[in-house]
Amino acid sequence: MSTLATTWKKFVCRACGLIYDEELGDPDSGLAPGTRFDDITDDWECPLCGVTKADFMPYEPAVAASCGERRAAISRKEGVVVVGGGTAGWAAVEALRALDADVPITMVTACEGDRYRKPELSVALSQDKSPETLVTEYGRDAAMRLDVRLLSNTYAVGLSSALYQVRTTAGTLNYTQLILAQGARPAMPAALPPSLCWRINDLAMWTGVHRTLASGPQRIAIVGAGLVGCELAEDFARAGHAVSVLDMNEQPLAALLPERASQRLLQSWRSRGIAFLPARSVTLVESTSSGKRIVHTQRGEALHVDMVLCATGLGTDPRLARGAGLDFERGIVVDPGTLQTSAPDIYALGDCISIAGEPCRFIEPIAAQAETIAHAVLGRDHAGYRHKPPVLRVKTRSLPIVMRGVPSRELAWEVVDEDAQQLSMAQYRDGNVVASLDVGQKNVEMAA
């Protein structure tokens, strides 16, 4: 009989942080102790949040960047805790360090904490980028540079605003101020199971898509013709893939563009070989024995493709905030001037927040949000955050689209200027411009 000890592995749910331990199993969901993760059926669901096996990843407790032992790191004195290692989380850290070189900062992030420019993910494939070239600074290096205790591959699973504590998969952290920068996650309709459909919302997801497409040109169905779906459609087509875009609306970017502008986008797509299937809803996605996908629509159609990509929008995970009793309305509700949540000493910024009931999922305001929070956390005077609609740029190189202001469904779009290269439109109220739109590039040669 072998005397070697059995090696058990752990896997963590990317959505909620639940850890599946092979040694312990999960008897409540029918998995006996000793059940290997590889032996679990693909339709098994996380007992906490309901995602499938495909949303679990290998889990190995990470060592804090500024300390060799995690236990020693956890026992360090209280300070500012930042939940989230994306653009917003690091922006908050940078803003704090710009004002105070000594305040203790701990970052809790479900990923490695590597820094990259998220908007690049929707244009990187055609530029032949790799995961390594997208990273601008590795998380460990950023933590050392900024003197941050980095708890990577660690999930925040509970929060007590009364006790000033965050419960994580690495232990409980005390804080003096807490900054929530947890971002948003893809909204997955029931007909688009995560085990069969890719989504791109962070570098890890993009890396998986990049690896899958490395074998050569493939047929890709993108579900959703919003901002991200449109950018990905052109990027994948430029990279040599056959792209079909399905959307419930009659035109792409229906919530943003008037029909006249949408027609220009469709013309650009046709020149790229991108097929648009309007007024379609997906009723079922199934896998074939060869690993291909079949997308079924409400019209009885069956699209045979190699990959399905979901681009149906984002949503903020409410569990951490609601579990702590924080106000939540399409995101974590924050004060529009201070960005403090409904609990004292807890702030939030980036994709996870809502202001006046509206999500704020734009990169542009994050730096100003971080500066406001840093001043509030450190007790420094500041004029406060002033939210204004950012300039919206659709990164479709063949047909750049720029929107300024906030368009209204109640107002008509008027043509300001139009020629073969560019369409300019605007909405007016009482003679004042409410929103403006430029589609294409005037007097500039279109991208090849």
Side-chain angles (χ1 to χ4, degrees), residues 11-26:
F11 297 81
V12 62
C13 174
R14 289 176 54 88
C16 69
L18 179 135
I19 296 175
Y20 176 74
D21 188 332
E22 291 181 334
E23 183 178 11
L24 302 178
D26 187 53

Side-chain angles (χ1 to χ4, degrees), residues 251-294:
Q251 59 195 48
L253 288 174
L256 183 69
L257 299 183
E259 184 177 357
R260 196 183 193 110
S262 292
Q263 290 303 315
R264 291 214 172 200
L265 179 57
L266 287 173
Q267 182 180 358
S268 174
W269 278 8
R270 285 191 289 268
S271 70
R272 288 272 162 204
I274 300 171
F276 180 57
L277 284 69
R280 302 302 204 283
S281 60
V282 176
T283 58
L284 176 67
V285 176
E286 57 182 342
S287 179
T288 69
S289 58
S290 61
K292 307 298 183 183
R293 303 287 185 260
I294 305 176

Side-chain angles (χ1 to χ4, degrees), residues 42 116 123 164 215 235 265 296 328 340 388 393 426 430 447:
D42 290 341
Y116 60 94
V123 296
Y164 281 64
S215 59
D235 189 44
L265 179 57
H296 297 269
F328 192 94
Q340 180 173 284
K388 60 181 181 180
R393 296 175 175 87
D430 299 329

Side-chain angles (χ1 to χ4, degrees), residues 367-378:
Q369 294 171 2
E371 181 182 348
T372 298
I373 290 175
H375 279 78
V377 165
L378 298 172

Side-chain angles (χ1 to χ4, degrees), residues 36 69 237 308 321 401:
R36 294 292 187 184
E69 294 292 334
V308 179
I401 299 172

